[in-house]
Amino acid sequence: MSTASDLAAKAAVPQPNTAAIPKRKTFWRLLFGNKLALIGFIFIVGWTLVAILSSWIVPHDPYVTDPANKLLPPSAEHWFGTDNYGRDILSRVIYGARISIWTGMIAVSISFIIGVPLGAVAGFYGGRMGSLIMRCMDILLAFPSLVLAMAIAAAMGPGLMSALIAVGIVGIPEFARLIHGQTISLREKEFVEASRAIGVTNGTILFRHILPNALAPLLVNATLGMGFAILTSASLSFLGLGVKPPIAEWGAMISEGRAYIISGEWWIVTFPGLGIATAILGFNLLGDGLRDVLDPRLRSSK
């Protein structure tokens, strides 16, 4: 026979926010019902497959130089033409997808793993510790994102690891402030008060009850942050603070080919630029679609 304390415990268990997170079939139907989100999803899946299969699908070795065939325009032999060293641009764009896509994923993961716990702790406990954490986030937000990433990468020295860490640090305040606001809102909900009443610890309430209910906006922000991370990483490589030549990376390829735009070799920078543009567009479109699906207010208004 159930006691009063057992009934109180069951009542205190937080229920998933079903209004914000639709069922699996409904979620995919709503997401793919949005044509722009579907286009973004196709771009992302396409570039991800290219990155995974790059070693098997490249038509030429992206690092072999051929001075006799340098600066060739697009043709049947070289679909995207060749660069100033005679390297096949299509092969380098395909190889560049590996670095750009994985750089975005790793950088966003760094921002998520560090920013979410910091913002959640600051929002849940508040006080001096919460104020200190959020003031540190405000300091990071006071600097333009690219300028801060450049400063961090320059201090650490050029290289892929420097770019990853720089882009990851720049994205921390966005996640921290987002989860901070969500936590402040959710900590006043009835299920949190009920959990406290039956003796559930603060850590359990925060990480098992509040964070799962704040997951939807975090997923949207992570998806949109992927596009920002790819663009910032490419910008660092373009400026010489990221990947070093001759490694195939979209930003570095544009940097190497920018001197040839005036002389008419447009293909050297155009195709890496299209790679950056379509990857960022894909994540932005998918992020907008996720926001529409996961926000019940936007769903109800359509």
Side-chain angles (χ1 to χ4, degrees):
M1 184 172 180
S2 299
T3 64
S5 60
D6 293 335
L7 294 175
K10 293 179 180 179
V13 176
Q15 299 299 318
N17 191 350
T18 55
I21 304 178
K23 294 181 179 179
R24 183 178 301 177
K25 292 183 179 179
T26 305
F27 171 82
W28 291 111
R29 179 175 57 82
L30 291 172
L31 181 63
F32 291 147
N34 184 325
K35 294 182 179 179
L36 293 179
L38 180 59
I39 293 173
F41 182 80
I42 292 172
F43 278 153
I44 294 171
V45 171
W47 278 122
T48 303
L49 290 176
V50 167
I52 294 173
L53 302 175
S54 57
S55 298
W56 293 277
I57 63 176
V58 287
H60 303 276
D61 189 319
Y63 296 113
V64 171
T65 61
D66 185 5
N69 291 314
K70 66 179 183 179
L71 301 177
L72 293 180
S75 63
E77 177 66 19
H78 301 281
W79 289 5
F80 288 1
T82 61
D83 63 8
N84 52 308
Y85 294 104
R87 297 171 298 192
D88 182 67
I89 293 179
L90 173 59
S91 301
R92 292 181 61 77
V93 168
I94 291 174
Y95 256 58
R98 299 192 306 178
I99 293 179
S100 295
I101 297 298
W102 300 130
T103 296
M105 290 183 177
I106 295 173
V108 170
S109 298
I110 293 173
S111 303
F112 189 97
I113 292 172
I114 298 177
V116 170
L118 287 176
V121 168
F124 187 77
Y125 292 100
R128 292 183 178 179
M129 179 177 62
S131 297
L132 177 62
I133 292 174
M134 296 315 297
R135 295 300 75 78
C136 291
M137 297 300 105
D138 291 340
I139 292 173
L140 292 177
L141 285 172
F143 297 93
S145 299
L146 182 57
V147 174
L148 180 59
M150 289 170 56
I152 296 172
M156 298 182 63
L160 178 59
M161 186 59 64
S162 299
L164 285 173
I165 295 175
V167 177
I169 292 176
V170 167
I172 289 174
E174 294 292 337
F175 285 96
R177 292 192 66 84
L178 177 60
I179 191 62
H180 179 261
Q182 292 289 318
T183 303
I184 291 176
S185 175
L186 290 170
R187 72 181 182 183
E188 306 299 331
K189 298 295 184 180
E190 291 80 1
F191 69 84
V192 174
E193 297 297 331
S195 297
R196 287 198 183 100
I198 63 172
V200 179
T201 63
N202 287 334
T204 301
I205 293 174
L206 178 59
F207 290 101
R208 294 191 61 183
H209 300 335
I210 291 181
L211 286 183
N213 282 280
L215 188 60
L218 290 174
L219 290 176
V220 174
N221 193 68
T223 305
L224 295 172
M226 279 288 298
F228 167 79
I230 291 173
L231 179 60
T232 305
S233 176
S235 300
L236 291 177
S237 297
F238 178 84
L239 296 171
L241 297 173
V243 174
K244 298 179 181 179
I247 297 176
E249 195 273 342
W250 292 338
M253 291 173 63
I254 295 176
S255 178
E256 290 180 3
R258 70 184 187 275
Y260 297 90
I261 299 176
I262 299 176
S263 58
E265 286 81 12
W266 53 269
W267 56 88
I268 300 179
V269 298
T270 298
F271 294 111
L274 287 176
I276 296 173
T278 52
I280 295 174
L281 179 63
F283 282 108
N284 286 345
L285 292 178
L286 182 61
D288 289 340
L290 285 174
R291 181 197 59 195
D292 295 344
V293 172
L294 297 176
D295 192 333
R297 292 168 298 180
L298 293 176
R299 294 205 308 270
S300 61
S301 65
K302 293 184 177 181

